[in-house]
Amino acid sequence: AQKVTQTQTSISVMEKTTVTMDCVYETQDSSYFLFWYKQTASGEIVFLIRQDSYKKENATVGHYSLNFQKPKSSIGLIITATQIEDSAVYFCAMREGDGNEKITFGAGTKLTIKP
Amino acid sequence: EAGVTQSPRYAVLQEGQAVSFWCDPISGHDTLYWYQQPRDQGPQLLVYFRDEAVIDNSQLPSDRFSAVRPKGTNSTLKIQSAKQGDTATYLCASSFFRTGEDTQYFGPGTRLLVL
């Protein structure tokens, strides 16, 4: 069974700095897909970035990038040049294998950006 | 392109009352998901559809919860006799799985409070 663990309950950093949020996962599948989502204060959940397990290169989208360490079953989210509006809860999620649309989410990390 | 829409946005019930949630996915998306998100937790999948067919409802409390998607477009999630433990946000998401674009896009959610 798949499992996703985010051990950081909350993080607080100053604006314009870089922050890394941790996520580790468990799976028996050789093929899997990892996602990061952001949930704003209004409750809206927004897809940010994904990493497919067979890709060696770390994904990057805008000021979001991933640190994919497959041997450690780890997928960290890095946000550079943080802005106040990046304050939100960030969820790591995983989908196993082909033809399986079930996504398992972690418990989330609350990020606060201070001015 | 319009996103996933849900209604109502909020619902307050007494235990034992019934409630229905409605979801309109992104136009053309073939797969629709319902999640339950308790406070301070990640979303947890309840049920998902491919077109009008239920693919997996193993996490749906079948004695009180039901979900339908009769025409493969809009969907309704119903709780027959609500309990305080059902207090949560109910999220709908959709994806266009057949194209291989399997990223899920979420609606704003319905916040349910059962007194």
Side-chain angles (χ1 to χ4, degrees):
Chain A
Q2 57 189 21
K3 185 178 179 181
V4 177
T5 303
Q6 296 178 255
T7 56
Q8 300 159 305
T9 305
S10 64
I11 300 175
S12 181
V13 300
M14 298 299 295
E15 190 179 12
K16 300 179 184 177
T17 61
T18 294
V19 64
T20 299
M21 284 174 273
D22 301 328
C23 175
V24 293
Y25 56 89
E26 296 177 24
T27 179
Q28 302 300 319
D29 278 18
S30 58
S31 174
Y32 50 90
F33 309 88
L34 301 162
F35 307 85
W36 279 90
Y37 285 84
K38 168 185 177 181
Q39 187 168 36
T40 63
S42 67
E44 181 186 17
I45 296 181
V46 178
F47 164 72
L48 296 177
I49 191 169
R50 67 181 283 168
Q51 180 81 36
D52 297 346
S53 63
Y54 59 87
K55 293 184 177 179
K56 294 184 178 180
E57 191 170 319
N58 288 323
T60 298
V61 175
H63 74 146
Y64 303 107
S65 61
L66 297 177
N67 180 15
F68 181 39
Q69 300 185 59
K70 198 169 183 178
K72 296 183 178 180
S73 296
S74 171
I75 183 73
L77 173 69
I78 303 166
I79 307 177
T80 57
T82 52
Q83 303 164 21
I84 299 296
E85 52 266 35
D86 292 324
S87 296
V89 178
Y90 289 79
F91 291 101
C92 177
M94 178 174 67
R95 179 172 73 80
E96 285 180 322
D98 293 324
N100 180 358
E101 298 102 287
K102 295 175 68 172
I103 289 183
T104 298
F105 284 80
T109 297
K110 183 177 182 179
L111 175 65
T112 301
I113 308 298
K114 297 181 291 185
Chain B
E1 181 182 88
V4 177
T5 56
Q6 292 184 245
S7 64
R9 293 297 310 276
Y10 303 92
V12 180
L13 305 175
Q14 298 291 331
E15 272 200 320
Q17 288 187 307
V19 64
S20 291
F21 309 131
W22 179 83
C23 173
D24 188 5
I26 292 173
S27 178
H29 277 195
D30 55 4
T31 307
L32 184 147
Y33 313 79
W34 283 104
Y35 290 86
Q36 181 190 61
Q37 184 180 21
R39 186 177 177 82
D40 296 329
Q41 296 184 34
Q44 298 159 13
L45 183 68
L46 291 173
V47 59
Y48 75 95
F49 299 83
R50 174 73 40 72
D51 301 320
E52 67 277 7
V54 174
I55 304 301
D56 189 329
N57 61 359
S58 60
Q59 302 305 310
L60 195 67
S62 58
D63 58 332
R64 296 184 301 108
F65 285 64
S66 62
V68 295
R69 193 187 185 200
K71 297 183 179 179
T73 52
N74 302 334
S75 176
T76 302
L77 176 69
K78 184 174 183 178
I79 306 176
Q80 285 283 11
S81 179
K83 298 182 178 180
Q84 289 186 352
D86 298 331
T87 293
T89 297
Y90 291 83
L91 296 157
C92 179
S94 69
S95 71
F96 202 173
F97 195 79
R98 286 198 179 95
T99 64
E101 176 44 61
D102 59 342
T103 299
Q104 295 183 20
Y105 296 89
F106 284 79
T110 297
R111 296 187 182 186
L112 174 66
L113 173 62
V114 184
L115 302 174

